[in-house]
Amino acid sequence: MKKLLCMIMIMAMTFTMAACGSGSGGDAEGSGDVPVIGINQYGEHSSLDNCREGFIQGLKDAGLVEGTDFAIEYQNAGFDDNISAQISQNFSANNVAIMCGIATPSAMACFTAAEDKDIPVIFTAITDPKAAGLTEGNVTGTSDKLPIEAQLELIRKIQPDAKTIGIVYTTSEPNSVSAIAEYQEKAGDYGFTIEAAGVTAQAEVTQAVDTLIKKGVDCFSNLTDNNVVGVLPSVLEKTDAAGIPVYGSEIEQVVKGCVASAGIDYIELGKKTGAMAAKILKGEAKASEMEYETITDYSIYINSKALAALSMEIPQDVKDGAVETSEE
């Protein structure tokens, strides 16, 4: 039913976007109409929603007015690669001024659909743009590369006796594959081994969690993997029942019940992306002229209620510098 609704939305978009679209050939100034920014969001979860919210705010912070200087055409792919590709192709057919891909699969779909017309593409919430093939051409954006060493250090401080970290990841997501490789490379420096379980679809995530629980992992560490984050409540239901803590990759995952995280602020990530898009709309720069930016600032987030439910204590030095999320 969800996929059917998405398909109906896509078909409707073909007719409605023509009435509000911009000029042809990826010209950000359009043909006198309000330039349309087509946002292709891979799926709905709080991290990606925050990116979109921040992106629109970044455009406004740059002095642009929605409805006058730009219009937003937002489409959600429902974590379906085929629908994401169709959304991007319709954006291209309707000559949007800019395509914005939120998350790696959507960004890759936008880039493929925009290439023939040289429509600017801007991405956000991508861990490894190079691995995704998004570093050359009329494309730029922001990377949410995980502070993996900070995460490993945090886990070691909270669980000094832990040995094995379980991670579920999507094998087709370049950002997840890249993050797993870095985790495996650096885990030994902190006395950990990584037990990774790859999945190909969201429906496989909870089964992979069960497998890792049976293998006796001491904790889980989440990536910004869309299939995993999309079913986080179900993951936490299983891990809480098993008494195993889950560490998130950003604040929203901790708000939902992960015990802690060393992560970035996705609204701020979106704002930076919006500022880059504003330069394109204003004619100040082309996407091809701007290198993608990586957000390096991170914070420590904790959920005291989740920690208490697992009878876990947090070192005072961690607590003193952390942001409490259980009050959110």
Side-chain angles (χ1 to χ4, degrees):
M1 177 62 71
K2 185 175 182 180
K3 181 177 290 188
L4 177 61
L5 290 173
C6 288
M7 291 295 295
I8 292 171
M9 290 172 61
I10 292 166
M11 293 174 64
M13 180 179 66
T14 303
F15 297 100
T16 59
M17 283 185 61
C20 62
S22 66
S24 63
D27 181 357
E29 294 181 1
S31 58
D33 296 334
V34 177
V36 173
I37 301 175
I39 298 180
N40 181 343
Q41 184 171 315
Y42 190 53
E44 286 190 348
H45 62 65
S46 51
S47 303
L48 301 186
D49 292 344
N50 283 350
C51 281
R52 186 181 76 251
E53 178 184 333
F55 176 74
I56 297 171
Q57 187 59 51
L59 290 164
K60 294 177 180 178
D61 290 346
L64 300 180
V65 177
E66 187 170 4
T68 300
D69 299 311
F70 69 92
I72 296 295
E73 180 67 36
Y74 164 65
Q75 296 292 327
N76 164 34
F79 301 104
D80 188 306
D81 289 352
N82 292 326
I83 292 176
S84 182
Q86 291 164 358
I87 289 170
S88 298
Q89 289 162 5
N90 278 318
F91 283 163
S92 178
N94 287 284
N95 298 309
V96 297
I98 298 174
M99 291 192 206
C100 174
I102 302 180
T104 303
S106 286
M108 293 171 67
C110 285
F111 185 63
T112 299
E115 201 165 13
D116 288 345
K117 293 187 175 181
D118 201 32
I119 296 173
V121 173
I122 193 155
F123 58 76
T124 188
I126 293 183
T127 299
D128 193 341
K130 185 175 182 180
L134 297 171
T135 56
E136 294 184 7
N138 202 13
V139 59
T140 190
T142 56
S143 167
D144 62 348
K145 186 178 185 303
L146 299 174
I148 288 174
E149 291 188 70
Q151 181 87 328
L152 290 167
E153 182 179 357
L154 176 65
I155 296 171
R156 178 53 69 207
K157 286 183 177 180
I158 297 178
Q159 291 184 263
D161 299 323
K163 296 179 180 179
T164 306
I165 300 173
I167 304 178
V168 179
Y169 74 102
T170 303
T171 56
S172 61
E173 280 205 27
N175 60 321
S176 296
V177 174
S178 174
I180 284 290
E182 187 174 354
Y183 260 106
Q184 291 172 331
E185 175 188 352
K186 296 178 177 178
D189 295 338
Y190 296 87
F192 295 115
T193 58
I194 300 298
E195 192 70 55
V199 300
T200 61
Q202 195 171 79
E204 300 172 9
V205 171
T206 54
Q207 183 178 352
V209 170
D210 285 335
T211 298
L212 292 178
I213 289 173
K214 290 177 182 178
K215 288 187 176 182
V217 298
D218 296 297
C219 64
F220 284 82
S221 187
N222 275 352
L223 310 179
T224 51
D225 188 291
N226 294 292
N227 281 326
V228 178
V229 178
V231 292
L232 182 57
S234 297
V235 170
L236 291 171
E237 184 178 348
K238 288 180 174 292
T239 56
D240 286 348
I244 300 174
V246 178
Y247 295 85
S249 55
E250 46 81 39
I251 184 172
E252 296 296 343
Q253 294 180 29
V254 183
V255 170
K256 287 189 174 182
C258 292
V259 294
S261 171
I264 65 172
D265 186 326
Y266 274 76
I267 289 181
E268 292 302 316
L269 182 74
K271 285 182 180 179
K272 185 174 287 291
T273 317
M276 298 174 80
K279 289 183 179 180
I280 298 171
L281 285 177
K282 291 178 178 181
E284 296 175 355
K286 295 181 179 179
S288 58
E289 297 171 343
M290 293 186 285
E291 293 187 5
Y292 77 85
E293 300 184 27
T294 301
I295 306 300
T296 56
D297 294 336
Y298 69 88
S299 298
I300 302 297
Y301 303 104
I302 61 172
N303 186 323
S304 293
K305 290 182 179 178
L307 286 159
L310 295 172
S311 300
M312 298 176 68
E313 295 184 1
I314 189 167
Q316 192 62 44
D317 64 322
V318 174
K319 191 172 185 178
D320 288 343
V323 177
E324 174 61 63
T325 69
S326 61
E327 299 174 356
E328 293 282 341

